[in-house]
Amino acid sequence: MKVVRTREELRAALAAVDGSLGLVPTMGWLHDGHRSLMRRARAENATTIATIFVNPRQFNEAADFQRYPRNEARDLAICEEEGIDLVFAPTVDEVYPPGFDTTVSVGALARPLEGAARPGHFDGVATVVAILFSLIGADRAYFGQKDAQQVMVIGQMARDLAIPTEVIACPTVREPDGLALSSRNVHLSPAERAAAPVLRRALLAARERWERGERSGDGLRAVMAETIAAEPLATPAYVSVADGRTLAELERVPDGRPALLSLAVRFGATRLIDNEPIG
Ligand code: AMP
């Protein structure tokens, strides 16, 4: 496995690559969710590249950026274990050189949900992913369904900017109790960790109600809100029943069209998200 840190080193390493190239972009603090993306990338491509970059532009709170967990040595060992061929782990200046002054801003898809809760977040995501896609020129790039809106925003960005990298969404990897793996889980206190599966329970309760015929958006949102309200350590940020293609909030869930149940919940200073596609 080769580790490169500059655009120059990256270009040189990529010049030696033959066959299809699969990319897994990450912010490090790697877990089994990231590993699953790496395995899929390996299965489908001759060469795999992972990036490790905690992107300051996608954090709407400076404190959240500061406390984001980092451990590069451990991350590199995991990449090696997963058979990654090349790791790009740049500095902030390498990604955004002095004078950098462009923002990639996706429209309607980026506005609701995480976009509304975290102003500027998706501009930061779209901008860094556009740079990585341009620098790397991968055939395919792998993202987690856990961040459902993110993978949709990136797909729209790549289509609109005519970037030929195929954007692929991969299933959410969970703890045995249903909590979606996330680098942020490390910040949960033991009591918060014990409470955190309430996100999954709320989504599954709404899914079950939908399976039994409930089609009212308000009805399904209420099921999620009530489940979260029953957990004293959990403070909901939003619960959503949205169109699976546009993410517009739904009054009624139409049969035969995909919809997305999603939510964001705070436990103290830690904010977790999860979602469940239906339809
Ligand atoms: P991050 O390092 O948190 O920016 O995540 C890097 C990639 O891993 C993103 O595409 C995430 O959606 C994906 N990812 C994060 N958590 C999970 C998970 N539990 N299951 C699957 N993919 C995940």
Side-chain angles (χ1 to χ4, degrees):
M1 185 177 83
K2 199 172 166 72
V3 181
V4 295
R5 300 192 180 276
T6 67
R7 292 178 178 222
E8 202 48 53
E9 290 168 356
L10 176 66
R11 227 186 319 270
L14 288 173
V17 165
D18 231 6
S20 65
L21 180 62
L23 163 65
V24 179
T26 82
M27 297 206 298
W29 201 262
L30 302 179
H31 52 62
D32 284 356
H34 301 109
R35 284 185 192 262
S36 75
L37 305 184
M38 292 176 185
R39 285 176 200 162
R40 174 91 182 262
R42 252 196 103 185
E44 297 182 355
N45 299 277
T47 302
T48 50
I49 175 167
T51 63
I52 301 174
F53 179 61
V54 184
N55 173 33
R57 287 179 183 246
Q58 74 186 71
F59 287 83
N60 50 314
E61 291 171 17
D64 190 28
F65 174 65
Q66 293 303 335
R67 78 181 202 129
Y68 199 82
R70 295 163 169 91
N71 185 341
E72 195 192 75
R74 182 174 161 275
D75 290 340
L76 292 177
I78 289 174
C79 291
E80 181 108 55
E81 267 175 41
E82 293 303 334
I84 292 291
D85 299 297
L86 184 60
V87 174
F88 181 45
T91 61
V92 172
D93 273 0
E94 199 61 41
V95 175
Y96 304 113
F100 184 94
D101 195 20
T102 294
T103 298
V104 179
S105 193
V106 172
L109 259 185
R111 271 180 221 121
L113 306 174
E114 289 301 285
R118 305 178 63 191
H121 169 66
F122 283 124
D123 284 0
V125 169
T127 302
V128 78
V129 175
I131 295 167
L132 294 175
F133 279 13
S134 299
L135 286 173
I136 293 166
D139 296 282
R140 305 180 186 90
Y142 299 84
F143 296 87
Q145 173 66 29
K146 198 212 111 198
D147 300 286
Q149 187 177 14
Q150 170 171 277
V151 67
M152 292 172 74
V153 165
I154 290 167
Q156 172 100 42
M157 179 278 291
R159 276 194 304 283
D160 290 352
L161 299 184
I163 300 176
T165 301
E166 184 188 352
V167 174
I168 296 172
C170 305
T172 302
V173 176
R174 299 176 181 283
E175 300 282 5
D177 64 8
L179 176 64
L181 296 187
S182 164
S183 307
R184 296 175 192 278
N185 293 351
V186 71
H187 294 309
L188 298 170
S189 72
E192 290 166 346
R193 172 63 189 82
V198 72
L199 278 86
R200 180 71 172 153
R201 280 208 309 281
L203 290 165
L204 291 183
R207 164 180 268 286
E208 193 190 319
R209 197 67 70 87
W210 171 75
E211 282 168 357
R212 284 192 285 146
E214 175 68 271
R215 292 295 178 268
S216 152
D218 280 345
L220 294 169
R221 283 184 284 271
V223 171
M224 291 189 272
E226 284 158 19
T227 309
I228 291 164
E231 175 44 68
L233 293 180
T235 311
Y238 62 77
V239 293
S240 163
V241 180
D243 182 281
R245 296 209 177 88
T246 66
L247 296 182
E249 216 50 38
L250 291 174
E251 235 171 86
R252 290 194 64 74
V253 179
D255 286 319
R257 285 235 316 262
L260 187 73
L261 309 173
S262 69
L263 40 67
V265 177
R266 275 189 185 279
F267 297 87
T270 307
R271 185 173 175 283
L272 302 181
I273 60 171
D274 202 349
N275 66 83
E276 174 74 8
I278 57 173

